[in-house]
Amino acid sequence: MQAMRPVDRLKQFPFHRTGLALAAGALSLLAGCATGPDGNAGRKAVFFPPPPAAPRVQYLTGFSGGKDPDSVSGKFATFVIGQEESSAAILKPYGVAIASNQLFICDTSARAVDILDLESLTLRRFAPVGNSKLGVPINIALDTDGSRYVTDTARNQVLHFGADEQFFDALDGTAFGTNVQRFTGLALGADRIYATDLNGHCVRVFDKATRQPLFTIPRNPQADDDGRLFMPVNLALDRQGRVYVSDMAACRVKVFDTDGNFLRTIGSQGDLPGQFARPKGIAVDRAGRIYVVDAASQTCQIFDAEGKTLLSFGEPGGNPAEEIATLNLPAAVCVDYDHVGRFQKYAAPGFVLEELIIISNQLGTQKISVFGLGHKE
């Protein structure tokens, strides 16, 4: 019998349309604990969705830095800032990105990017000075050469740093003939830079090599409401180059092709599965699944490539053991395949991780939550 692909396995388990609170809260507590010396020993595994469906998402771990009892390894006793050690913690995270055994976290209150090294198990704060000083860093995107782009709403710019953390340059709206913009969301294509302009109600697209403006999304600013952007806060690209924008004012995700032409919407306003109240962070995985965090319902919803609701998770279900998996004013989400092996020890016996789902929380004691999409052996 031919083995099913991960996306096929997920499609086998329909989402029960009984309301976000009920569907997200009715968790499945599988008997068994994470294994390994640094795993969640003695803790019941928290799974989504509820029975009788097979578990597809498990809460793995979370942390806030400093002397964090629920840190990734239990060894983050210090938060390293330069050469000094402190018990300071991640303050108010927004954007997250992961590459080369490092998790990057935009800390809006610290006015810095916090960098978690998954090998040395230390946290470091990147806070440049001078003309590259960060004001309010919101989102971060990592290029294939290791360089880093950061949107900063205080500076109204996209800042570019090399892999060695040297400042390259900054992009702003003057290239588009305007000084009125508020860059928030950020994504990188092979040869393009995409940044949502909150005040300009659009996505600004730059050529990565020349820094010249290419076009804005939507291409037709006079389009009907479905094709317009009202409050674009975050965006993501899929493997075909399509652009997914979370429009907080419209309570929808809007999808555009590589040339910026409107294709369709995902979701609507409301509190049922497939609906949004305050959509923010968004990510698309290799199978085309779309992840959207909602700061109002405090959940993360998963959609298939056609926009059909698959699953919602993150809201507590009443059992004290489930509180660890609670999202608290979630802001951003990213998915990752390269570091699954480092987190497999947190999975319950018999649950095989396929990808990581990393979510930032702006409130609460757990500022970063790590979930795993997977399947039972």
Side-chain angles (χ1 to χ4, degrees):
M1 180 177 179
Q2 185 177 5
M4 286 187 293
R5 297 171 300 161
V7 66
D8 294 328
R9 283 193 296 263
L10 186 56
K11 286 181 177 179
Q12 274 200 330
F13 310 119
F15 187 92
H16 300 284
R17 305 184 65 83
T18 54
L20 280 179
L22 177 60
L27 312 182
S28 172
L29 293 181
L30 200 70
C33 307
T35 59
D38 295 325
N40 297 321
R43 174 176 291 170
K44 292 290 185 181
V46 180
F47 282 94
F48 307 82
R56 291 298 288 132
V57 172
Q58 182 190 346
Y59 168 80
L60 300 176
T61 190
F63 57 92
S64 294
K67 298 183 181 297
D68 192 341
D70 193 30
S71 64
V72 168
S73 70
K75 295 180 180 179
F76 288 113
T78 59
F79 187 101
V80 182
I81 305 176
Q83 299 300 315
E84 298 180 0
E85 292 185 353
S86 168
S87 60
I90 300 167
L91 301 178
K92 192 174 183 181
Y94 200 107
V96 289
I98 187 170
S100 302
N101 292 308
Q102 291 183 310
L103 177 64
F104 297 81
I105 305 155
C106 287
D107 195 330
T108 59
S109 289
R111 301 178 183 271
V113 175
D114 298 329
I115 304 172
L116 164 61
D117 190 300
L118 297 175
E119 288 187 338
S120 64
L121 306 178
T122 57
L123 278 163
R124 178 170 62 87
R125 180 160 287 164
F126 173 59
V129 297
N131 64 345
S132 61
K133 183 178 180 180
L134 298 175
V136 181
I138 293 292
N139 274 296
I140 184 168
L142 309 176
D143 211 348
T144 53
D145 63 358
S147 62
R148 307 153 192 180
Y149 292 79
V150 179
T151 49
D152 192 312
T153 57
R155 296 180 55 133
N156 287 329
Q157 292 178 323
V158 180
L159 286 76
H160 181 203
F161 300 90
D164 58 359
E165 300 184 351
Q166 293 299 308
F167 178 58
F168 281 167
D169 58 3
L171 304 176
D172 57 33
T174 56
F176 285 88
T178 177
N179 287 317
V180 180
Q181 73 286 310
R182 187 182 179 192
F183 289 131
T184 55
L186 183 64
L188 299 178
D191 55 4
R192 293 175 178 177
I193 303 168
Y194 300 80
T196 58
D197 181 347
L198 198 65
N199 291 349
H201 315 292
C202 65
V203 176
R204 308 281 184 186
V205 186
F206 298 86
D207 183 273
K208 191 187 294 183
T210 66
R211 304 313 211 209
Q212 293 301 305
L214 296 177
F215 54 90
T216 60
I217 299 174
R219 279 298 185 93
N220 178 15
Q222 305 304 320
D224 59 22
D225 285 355
D226 280 347
R228 294 171 61 192
L229 292 175
F230 297 94
M231 192 178 289
V233 289
N234 289 282
L235 78 161
L237 306 178
D238 67 12
R239 303 184 83 177
Q240 287 72 45
R242 289 182 289 254
V243 183
Y244 297 73
V245 185
S246 55
D247 190 333
M248 194 161 62
C251 298
R252 288 169 174 80
V253 169
K254 301 189 176 180
V255 188
F256 301 85
D257 67 17
T258 56
D259 295 320
N261 300 303
F262 173 72
L263 296 177
R264 59 193 173 92
T265 64
I266 297 174
S268 60
Q269 183 176 8
D271 60 359
L272 295 175
Q275 297 182 327
F276 304 112
R278 199 177 181 189
K280 282 192 172 182
I282 183 170
V284 183
D285 70 10
R286 293 175 181 173
R289 290 180 291 254
I290 304 148
Y291 299 76
V292 185
V293 295
D294 193 311
S297 64
Q298 303 193 106
T299 58
C300 179
Q301 294 194 66
I302 309 176
F303 301 82
D304 68 12
E306 287 73 45
K308 178 184 177 182
T309 310
L310 296 175
L311 180 64
S312 177
F313 64 92
E315 188 170 307
N319 188 309
E322 299 164 3
E323 296 295 332
I324 59 172
T326 301
L327 298 179
N328 201 334
L329 199 63
V333 57
C334 72
V335 295
D336 175 69
Y337 295 84
D338 297 335
H339 304 84
V340 166
R342 289 192 173 275
F343 288 83
Q344 183 62 53
K345 63 189 175 185
Y346 295 97
F351 190 73
V352 180
L353 300 182
E354 299 165 12
E355 63 187 76
L356 301 176
I357 309 164
I358 303 169
I359 300 175
S360 63
N361 299 289
Q362 294 198 294
L363 294 179
T365 57
Q366 183 170 276
K367 296 302 172 61
I368 302 295
S369 300
V370 184
F371 298 81
L373 177 72
H375 63 277
K376 291 183 67 176
E377 288 182 312

